[in-house]
Amino acid sequence: MSEYGRKRHPARTPEPLPGAGTRVDLPPGATGRFVIQEHQARRLHYDLRLEQDGVLRSWAVPKGIPTRPGVRHLAIQTEDHPLAYLEFEGEIPPGNYGAGTVRIFDRGLWALVRARRDSLRFLLVGEVLSGEYVLVRTGQEHWLLFLRKPLADGRSARRS
Ligand code: MN
């Protein structure tokens, strides 16, 4: 991103500033939309979906997305979902996979901070949640999700 910044003067171009709003340099293309759906199925869980490479990478988080540092929640990776799922809420009729009620809990943009073989560090900037999160793989489909640090403006607090 330093070359991008060197070639552009913020006052003379409407293009986004490199790293605007964050101190993190992002690899090109490593941003996208995200959605978190509250899914009242057989058991209540939250589905975290990150847009990447034209699909939504997905995790089911039974205890919900942590809202303070130090709390680690199991996240079970599930199948990639189509992008249209970003907008989905409604009733999945009885007898179908995931039968129950889906409602959008939060949505916004995410940005990759660092990807390693078994971990993903990323920013979430949503309407409800915002902060730097980490997913660490602990098994085939099992990951741990935790909040590494809330964003400085305190937006990680839930809206009341
Ligand atoms: Mn689900």
Side-chain angles (χ1 to χ4, degrees):
M1 289 305 282
S2 60
E3 188 182 3
Y4 181 102
R6 218 167 27 243
K7 288 178 174 172
R8 290 166 175 82
H9 191 293
R12 294 178 200 147
T13 172
E15 294 168 291
L17 298 173
T22 165
R23 289 172 290 123
V24 181
D25 272 353
L26 302 172
T31 67
R33 293 167 290 177
F34 82 88
V35 67
I36 297 164
Q37 279 141 334
E38 182 188 86
H39 189 178
Q40 181 66 69
R42 201 152 38 99
R43 300 177 109 171
L44 175 67
H45 61 274
Y46 290 78
D47 290 300
L48 168 66
R49 308 188 194 283
L50 307 177
E51 177 184 16
Q52 190 179 55
D53 296 331
V55 297
L56 299 175
R57 298 186 67 197
S58 299
W59 290 263
V61 188
K63 291 186 173 173
I65 313 302
T67 54
R68 53 197 172 84
V71 178
R72 292 167 184 242
H73 286 175
L74 172 68
I76 300 155
Q77 189 164 13
T78 56
E79 71 278 17
D80 295 341
H81 278 52
L83 290 184
Y85 225 87
L86 284 165
E87 306 296 330
F88 178 73
E89 50 186 357
E91 299 283 334
I92 301 173
N96 292 280
Y97 180 74
T101 305
V102 175
R103 80 170 185 91
I104 293 174
F105 170 77
D106 197 13
R107 59 182 143 196
L109 296 174
W110 78 283
L112 185 65
V113 175
R114 194 186 74 187
R116 297 256 167 95
R117 190 160 156 266
D118 290 319
S119 74
L120 207 59
R121 189 191 292 184
F122 56 98
L123 294 172
L124 286 187
V125 182
E127 296 166 16
V128 180
L129 302 172
S130 61
E132 188 175 313
Y133 282 84
V134 180
L135 274 164
V136 178
R137 191 197 288 267
T138 59
Q140 182 77 8
E141 292 161 346
H142 285 194
W143 300 64
L144 286 174
L145 173 65
F146 59 95
L147 175 61
R148 187 168 176 274
K149 58 180 181 197
L151 289 192
D153 62 5
R155 288 186 59 212
S156 66
R158 276 182 175 220
R159 282 182 306 190
S160 51

